Amino acid sequence: MNSLVAPDTKVNERICELQELVRTSRKLHIVGSKSKDGFHHSSDGATTISTPSLSGVVSYDPLEFVVTLLGGTRVLEVVELLEKHGQYLPFDPLLVDRGATIGGTVASNAAGPGRFRFGGIRDFLLGIRFIDGRGNCIRGGGQVVKNAAGFDYPKLMVGSRGTLGLLYEMTFKVFPKPESYATIVATFSKLDEAVASMNKLASSPLDIEAIELIPIEMGSRGYELAIRIGGIASALMNRLNRLQKFVPVSMLLQDHDDWRYWRAATNLEWARDKGSLVKLPITPNAIAAMDKQCSKLLIDRRYSVGGNVAWIATVWNDQWSQQLGDAQTFLGPLPIEDNGYPRELGPFGRAIKYALDPESKFI
Amino acid sequence: MLSPFIAKLSEIYPDARLLTHDAGLVSYESDGLTAFREKPIAVVLPESADEVIRTVRCCFDSHVPFVARGNGTSLSGGSLPVKNGIVISMNRMNRILRLDPVQRLAVVEPGVINLNVTKAAASHGLLYAPDPSSQSVCTIGGNIAFNSGGAHCLKYGMTSNHVLGLKIVLPNGTVDTLGGESLESIHPDYVGMFVGSEGLFGIALEITLRLIPKPEVYRTVMCAYRSLKAAGDAVSKIIASGLLPGAMEIMDNLSIQAAEAAVHPGYPLDAAGLLIVELEGEASQVDEEFKRLHGLIEASNPYFFKEAKDAFERQQIWKGRKSAFSAVGRLSPDFIVQDGVVPRGRLGEALEEIQRLSKQHGIRVANVFHAGDGNLHPLILYDGKQKGALHHAELLAAEIIELCIRFGGSITGEHGVGMEKRTYLPKMYQPSDMESMFQVRRAIDPTNIANPGKMLMDGDAPALTTSGMHPLEKAGVISRE
Amino acid sequence: MEHKIDLEAIGSPQADAMAHAISTCVHCGFCLPACPTYQVLGEEMDSPRGRIVLMRGVLEQNLPLEEATPYLDRCLGCLGCETACPSGVAYGELLSSFRAHTQDKRKRPIADQMAHMMASQTLPFPNRFRWAALLGRLAKPIAGIFPTPIRAMLGLVPSRLPDSARLPVFTPAKGVRRGQVGLLAGCVQQVLAPDINLATVRVLSENGFDVHVPVGQGCCGALSMHTGDAKMARRLAAVNLDLFPPNLDAIITNAAGCGSGVKEYALLFRGDPLEAKAAHLANRVQDVSQFLDSIEMISLKPLEKTLRVAYHDACHLAHAQGITSAPRRLLRQIPGLELCEIPDGEICCGSAGTYNIEQPQIANTLGTSKAKHIASLGVDVVAMGNIGCMVQIRNHLAKLKPDKVAIPVLHTVQLLDRAYRNE
Ligand SMILES: Cc1cc2nc3c(=O)[nH]c(=O)nc-3n(C[C@H](O)[C@H](O)[C@H](O)COP(=O)(O)OP(=O)(O)OC[C@H]3O[C@@H](n4cnc5c(N)ncnc54)[C@H](O)[C@@H]3O)c2cc1C
Ligand code: SF4
Ligand code: SF4
């Protein structure tokens, strides 16, 4: 076992302090590195808990393909560590170079383009420890890749945005990293052609790591599909040739170019300085209508994960917040009241919130 | 005379779908774990979500416990009736409501059989990935309740990883929708929380499943070893090499014998351990992977190696593997199917330990397991007609489970806690973890009527003693693992 | 599965077989999707697993027989469950033994009893059946006044009976003589489709075999056996035990129901003085497709144009005797014949012995669904190896499109015969 930072006395003391803090506070707001500004607005009157003080790798066994991390650990650190052993988190955590922490990544469900192939954060998170609204330390899940014992708290915490508890330790399953990658970019003049190609590729037996649909200059100059494949180097050329029969290739990216392209995508660089960045879960069929609307309003956007996520970058206004009721802001100012989050919970969500945080401390 | 409760049910159901006579009730006494039997007071056979909702409301109003049942193949007593309760048999709600090949999803009723979804998807070149060995019988509803896995979960995960949305009725009769049709969501992953909750959170009424493209090629090999440990070691090597096979399974001699007798897949009958590895994906990638796999296997020194030469041979290999549990019925009148997980690196060690325990107790144990996940399925053979045999077998089963906990694994990989392992859950989790589960359970089902007594021991939750860390823990002297 | 059956109290020679089958069942449910009645009715009592539990209950004396009877009566005896069962539960043996064991104790509704009586008293006797069939034809127009089960029986009677044709007692081999076989002539089939026997004799003789059809043959007893009338079954079967000369290569049957019945003789006669003899006969009997597949068939003439044929697996051939590939291999030997698989092919057509007479509604559902599956293929002919299925499928194909000429239904051996004769 490759234990880098043992859960030593210091960490335990810190956890105890946090438990105490939860018990004695009325309202709590949890922040990591604040790489996702959009979440941090109406913490007025609430005690802010910052997790970066709880950081480090608790254990990592490369042969077991399992890594356990403290919540405040920077994702970048983790990515680099795994890479040394030829391993990775296939869901492409977002904002790696902007300081994202692992706890924040889980809590905000911040998965990127690579989520397309093997699944999202929910599919790789095996176990968690968190402090609930009563100040108790709770463990859910386990340390092994398969486990059906007890309720699946790890999944519940994905996307919980700090409203159900303070995540302080997470165990992930990791995968062997493909030894080589390549990306082709295909250009289309019409959106429907691009969407049709995307759907065709996504249902084809080609093993594709990621497919992103990107309007060029807000759609005024057409649309491009970025398609990434990865695997054994000696098979890659063959597969690229095959891929080229599916789509009109305008650009081929390999090695460092490929890496740079996707790193920029996971850092959401395209959306920088564009106001708020809003994430919308969609399905491919929703793209046509949404894109029409966006291009009328001159709003920049991208469709990620094979058409399952729409990213919308714009200066927020009320009209938008009504139309995009089911959205989550990542970057930029978005008053929480307008978005309505925590939005109206259903009976199931209400019961769970009540059970884990009966006094509604976590906001 | 009809009891007032049954009379209420008869307002929902015609006579033919409300069973209260003996023959009807005894038929539903057990699931796949026949060591437990309990006669329900009634069995209802709903044909629509609306009937299920009305039934649950009826139970809520009258404080009558209910158990949903798919096709009753649970191996942990999950669909065992509850005393003085009713069984809601979902198997007639078996329609595929919508299959959208373009967006790659299917909306189904919970009673649909797993394999029927796979078949429907196949006609569009798509795949519903989770393939429990019982896939030809078990229902998606049951799979949801247990987060069922299968041989092919190594790469694409268990049931939970393939469920996008759910419509559910909570134990108090309210209806909720969790998730949706997109791969992503922006709320806490309620779908993930519901899946695997063993019927304690209510009943799934409608399920949206994710479909994936069918792999272009499969390459399936069988290799036989003179010892079980050698097979286990080969698995560790393959995993460590960075290959990501679709499936990796091991069977020991007893299960090989049984499966061969049932299906004739051509397993080598003298093998101590048989390893099945399957690569899947795009042809040129798989070919390269195969070269590496072949090298690794050669180095592991099997005395027999065979690749399936066509789809039929592949199918036979899997049919043999998937019939193994039931086929063991040929070797022994009774057996306990155990299900535990150990870290993959400790597989060989765990197997040796199980063999030792088997010798020590003088009880035969057959082993079939999802080696790639470290998910063991020791089958403990006994003859129920011999006095004390069941008890003795249970003792051995218990030791195996404790071994899994000791090794840092889990008490169940896919069959769930159910009745069978509810006393072990507190050994795997701390009192505060358990208390939290009770709190969630109570918030969702305050009157304790949804499959009560399963997973969480009935009665009041144990008093919460640890509302913080133990002083020794604080000092870093002990840690709870 | 554990049971508390008191074998001695049961006291029947088949008690062991029953107890063994029950304890072999592990309650896994793998048989559920293979069971036609579970497919149609969707309740546990009408599944193999459920029926085993019910039989266990009755044998343990925990469940009154009348409670279990309706569900056991609905079992087709198609043995789809046996094929599906990985644990090797001998369901067929359990069911016939159980039916035999409880035959005297059971009470049935009057109409069912009448239908059962009519079926069991007439079907096994060719002459009686011919008369009954003729009477049935007269009764058809007034069918509405009979209770459902009897109405169903009338529905099966063909509106025109073929002329009764006599089978030659001996037919010599054509060409080079390769051996000699006997033919089990069957009862129902002789009346409804005498051509099947004639075709069988021709094909065997064409392939170089002398064919003996001993006179004095009666019903093989299979129908009675499957309905639980073991006494009657033994009485009927005993007649045939001594009829066939000892030096035959095989005794051929072309009715799957008879074949599977005869193969169960050993169990039927367990503890009876005739047991050894019965077992001996059982060992000599082969289905015609099995036999032809085991010899090198004389090559067949090519068809003039492609013929698309669907092959239907009769339960008593596929599930009871495990014969599925032999008939397909034979048909493929006809040059120009294209074989198609019927969707959900392993599910029974609803004929199953006297079933379409005793459980008309379920039989109807299954028949209709089978006909629909066949029609979906757009084939020229449906072939199969059992007269019961032929009658059932022919009826349902006709009902499906009453205004059109229905897809012809032929016995496998009839197709071979026509190919030899270039028809
Ligand atoms: C031979 C054999 C092999 C098996 N192999 C595997 C395997 O490889 N992997 C594996 O994971 N499992 C396996 N199992 C276990 C079993 O098949 C699975 O647990 C399966 O998911 C159960 O499905 P079912 O339809 O039979 O459910 P049931 O047994 O009827 O019910 C199981 C649970 O689901 C609940 N439930 C049913 N329907 C609903 C619904 N609509 N909403 C909410 N809850 C519901 C029930 O209350 C119960 O708690 C095997 C079982 C057998 C007998
Ligand atoms: S498949 Fe066999 S063992 Fe399983 S329930 Fe059916 S009869 Fe019993
Ligand atoms: S014999 Fe046929 S009808 Fe009877 S239980 Fe078996 S599969 Fe069902």
Side-chain angles (χ1 to χ4, degrees), chain B residues 326, chain C residues 1 21 24-32 48-50 52 81 84-89 91:
Chain B
S326 321
Chain C
M1 215 162 54
T24 316
C25 172
V26 301
H27 214 258
C28 67
F30 274 40
C31 48
L32 264 55
R49 181 175 65 179
I52 294 172
C81 48
C85 174
S87 189
V89 173
Y91 178 87

Side-chain angles (χ1 to χ4, degrees), chain B residues 68 70-74 78-79 133-134 139 142-143 145-146 148-149 204 325 414 451:
Chain B
N71 266 331
T73 67
S74 155
S79 42
S133 302
S134 50
T139 64
N143 294 171
F146 276 136
S148 299
F325 287 178
E414 55 185 20
N451 212 1

Side-chain angles (χ1 to χ4, degrees), chain B residues 73 98 102 160 172 193 218 236 308 362 391 445 453 480:
Chain B
T73 67
R98 181 157 80 84
V102 175
S160 193
N172 65 4
M193 184 69 169
Y218 291 102
S236 306
H391 178 66
D445 180 13
R480 304 177 187 191

Side-chain angles (χ1 to χ4, degrees), chain C residues 31 34-38 46-49 51 74-82 91 95 348:
Chain C
C31 48
C35 176
T37 55
Y38 188 68
D46 281 302
S47 79
R49 181 175 65 179
R51 289 186 178 119
R74 287 212 277 259
C75 169
L76 294 138
C78 70
L79 302 190
C81 48
E82 262 194 28
Y91 178 87
L95 184 73
C348 179

